[in-house]
């Protein structure tokens, strides 16, 4: 009995120590993230007026809807004048994982960020370690020399600063790392200069230690221009595929801007979720909870960025949505 009492006392003492350690750890984590949020707000207030107007990600009052409206507005303007659009949708390979810290800090210095904040940010980036776990086995720790912590506002803001000076002599819109090049070709007889614009992007990419994912980077031609005579675009790893449809920021675009692919996609997705709503009703779920399920799970699918495309669909597509 005595031995058992000693064991229990030891266990309780150990549990108390573990509890205190966990409490201290949680407190440190909370304090760090509070400090990170304050620093991010401070950085954002200083940087926002200086950032590229065509960057819509990680900025107050902007969203994917604003990006799509800006892109489609430019497209519609030239198409209404019987012109054409040659668009390239650029995907960066592991964009957040290969950010060069030295390049990022050098760019932050150009924005006249206070030195104390730069030092804190440099400390935030440096000496970050990573290891792998397989079953119960762990690898040795490896110090990272690049990359950004994902899942934090500070990581998004940092990448926004890194890509801010990406420019081209044509229309260029960005939502964090999603980049869209749009060449507005005024008439069918006009020559395309997209190869030159794309080359300038490749040069920027190489200078900033980034990599374009050629397999996910796509090109699309919209309008009456003869696409057969347009020279293909290529990177060091291959040729950019020319496609008839592309999903940009959650909406499906096609070469005719007919919205058929998008409407079919969202109605199909909504129908599958509507089946679960019917099952919940049969199970006797209260009406207020059914309404909540509809507004939270089904309705957002049908209304996502509706201000971008709803006024462009025909009567049949509108009935399909209903």
């Amino acid at each position: 009995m005595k031995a058992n009492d000693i064991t229990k006392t030891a266990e309780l003492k150990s549990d108390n120590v573990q509890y205190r350690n966990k409490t201290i750890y949680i407190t440190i984590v909370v304090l760090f993230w509070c400090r990170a949020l304050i620093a991010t707000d401070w950085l954002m207030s200083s940087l926002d007026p200086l950032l590229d107007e065509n960057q819509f990600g990680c900025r107050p009052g902007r969203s994917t809807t604003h990006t799509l409206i800006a892109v489609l507005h430019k497209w519609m303007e030239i198409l209404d004048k019987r012109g054409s659009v040659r668009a390239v949708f650029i995907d960066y390979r592991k964009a957040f994982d290969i950010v060069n810290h030295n390049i990022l800090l050098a760019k932050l210095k150009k924005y006249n960020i206070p030195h104390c904040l730069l030092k804190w940010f440099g400390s935030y980036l440096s000496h970050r370690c990573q290891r792998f776990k397989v079953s119960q086995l762990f690898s040795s720790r490896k110090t990272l020399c690049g990359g950004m912590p994902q899942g934090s506002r500070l990581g998004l803001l940092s990448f926004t600063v890194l890509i801010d000076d990406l420019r081209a002599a044509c229309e260029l819109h960005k939502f964090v790392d999603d980049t869209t090049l749009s060449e507005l070709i005024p008439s069918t007889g006009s020559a395309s200069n997209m190869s030159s614009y794309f080359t300038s992007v490749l040069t920027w990419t190489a200078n900033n230690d980034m990599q374009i994912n050629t397999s996910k980077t796509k090109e699309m031609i919209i309008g009456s221009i003869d696409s057969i005579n347009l020279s293909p675009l290529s990177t060091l790893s291959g040729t950019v595929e020319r496609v008839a449809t592309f999903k940009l920021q959650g909406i499906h675009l096609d070469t005719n801007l007919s919205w058929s692919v998008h409407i079919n996609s969202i109605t199909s997705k909504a129908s599958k979720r509507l089946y679960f709503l019917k099952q919940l009703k049969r199970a006797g779920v209260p009406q207020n909870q059914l309404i909540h399920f509809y507004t939270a799970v089904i309705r957002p699918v049908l209304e996502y960025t509706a201000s971008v495309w709803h006024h462009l669909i025909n009567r049949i597509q509108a009935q399909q949505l209903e």
Side-chain angles (χ1 to χ4, degrees):
M1 181 65 67
K2 187 174 182 181
N4 288 338
D5 290 340
I6 293 172
T7 304
K8 286 182 180 181
T9 305
E11 287 178 355
L12 288 172
K13 188 174 182 180
S14 175
D15 289 342
N16 288 336
V17 171
Q18 290 179 10
Y19 178 77
R20 281 200 302 272
N21 289 341
K22 288 179 181 178
T23 304
I24 294 171
Y25 173 76
I26 292 171
T27 303
I28 292 172
V29 170
V30 170
L31 288 174
F32 172 80
W33 284 113
C34 287
R35 186 173 63 175
L37 287 174
I38 294 171
T40 303
D41 291 338
W42 186 5
L43 275 170
M44 193 69 249
S45 62
S46 301
L47 292 173
D48 190 60
L50 306 174
L51 295 176
D52 182 9
E53 278 300 311
N54 286 328
Q55 170 62 268
F56 294 88
C58 192
R59 300 183 69 180
R62 299 192 179 201
S63 66
T64 53
T65 300
H66 295 90
T67 313
L68 293 166
I69 289 175
V71 171
L72 287 172
H73 176 70
K74 292 296 182 180
W75 289 8
M76 292 299 182
E77 274 189 332
I78 196 66
L79 292 172
D80 288 343
K81 298 175 183 177
R82 300 184 181 277
S84 301
V85 177
R86 188 176 185 183
V88 180
F89 310 103
I90 298 173
D91 181 85
Y92 282 100
R93 187 189 304 276
K94 297 182 178 179
F96 285 83
D97 295 334
I98 58 175
V99 171
N100 186 305
H101 295 166
N102 293 328
I103 294 175
L104 174 60
L105 291 172
K107 289 186 178 184
L108 280 170
K109 288 180 181 178
K110 294 180 181 179
Y111 289 104
N112 296 322
I113 300 300
H115 184 67
C116 61
L117 193 56
L118 276 176
K119 287 186 66 177
W120 176 86
F121 190 61
S123 174
Y124 171 74
L125 293 176
S126 61
H127 304 296
R128 305 188 74 91
C129 297
Q130 179 176 288
R131 66 175 179 175
F132 293 93
K133 177 184 178 184
V134 179
S135 296
Q136 300 301 317
L137 301 177
F138 290 90
S139 68
S140 58
R141 294 182 182 273
K142 175 88 173 170
T143 302
L144 303 177
C145 57
M148 292 301 305
Q150 296 190 43
S152 67
R153 291 174 58 197
L154 198 56
L156 285 172
L157 178 60
S158 303
F159 192 87
T160 301
V161 171
L162 179 72
I163 204 172
D164 184 64
D165 60 352
L166 172 58
R167 300 286 193 278
C170 63
E171 296 294 330
L172 189 150
H173 297 86
K174 294 171 281 189
F175 190 87
V176 191
D177 59 325
D178 290 337
T179 304
T180 303
L181 287 178
S182 303
E183 181 186 14
L184 310 179
I185 304 173
S187 63
T188 55
S190 301
S192 171
N193 296 312
M194 181 55 82
S195 295
S196 174
Y197 306 146
F198 190 61
T199 299
S200 68
V201 173
L202 292 177
T203 301
W204 180 93
T205 302
N207 291 340
N208 287 270
D209 283 353
M210 300 292 290
Q211 299 175 14
I212 288 180
N213 189 340
T214 306
S215 63
K216 292 185 178 181
T217 297
K218 307 296 181 184
E219 177 190 7
M220 190 166 71
I221 310 297
I222 305 167
S224 56
I225 192 170
D226 186 4
S227 59
I228 297 177
N229 295 325
L230 296 177
S231 58
L233 305 174
S234 60
T235 67
L236 293 176
S237 56
T239 302
V240 175
E241 181 185 6
R242 189 173 293 170
V243 296
T245 63
F246 185 80
K247 189 176 182 181
L248 177 65
Q249 299 294 327
I251 69 170
H252 296 266
L253 303 170
D254 59 69
T255 54
N256 298 317
L257 294 183
S258 64
W259 302 104
S260 298
V261 177
H262 183 65
I263 298 299
N264 291 336
S265 174
I266 63 174
T267 52
S268 174
K269 189 175 182 180
S271 295
K272 293 176 182 177
R273 299 187 180 192
L274 191 61
Y275 169 78
F276 291 105
L277 180 64
K278 293 177 180 178
Q279 294 298 105
L280 291 173
K281 184 177 181 181
R282 290 175 183 172
V285 174
Q287 184 177 4
N288 64 325
Q289 294 185 23
L290 294 176
I291 294 173
H292 178 73
F293 179 86
Y294 172 77
T295 55
V297 178
I298 300 175
R299 188 172 175 178
V301 174
L302 299 172
E303 295 186 351
Y304 173 69
T305 65
S307 57
V308 176
W309 51 266
H310 193 270
H311 64 288
L312 298 171
I313 63 176
N314 57 41
R315 183 181 300 176
I316 295 175
Q317 291 170 335
Q319 292 175 347
Q320 188 178 352
L321 285 174
E322 295 297 329

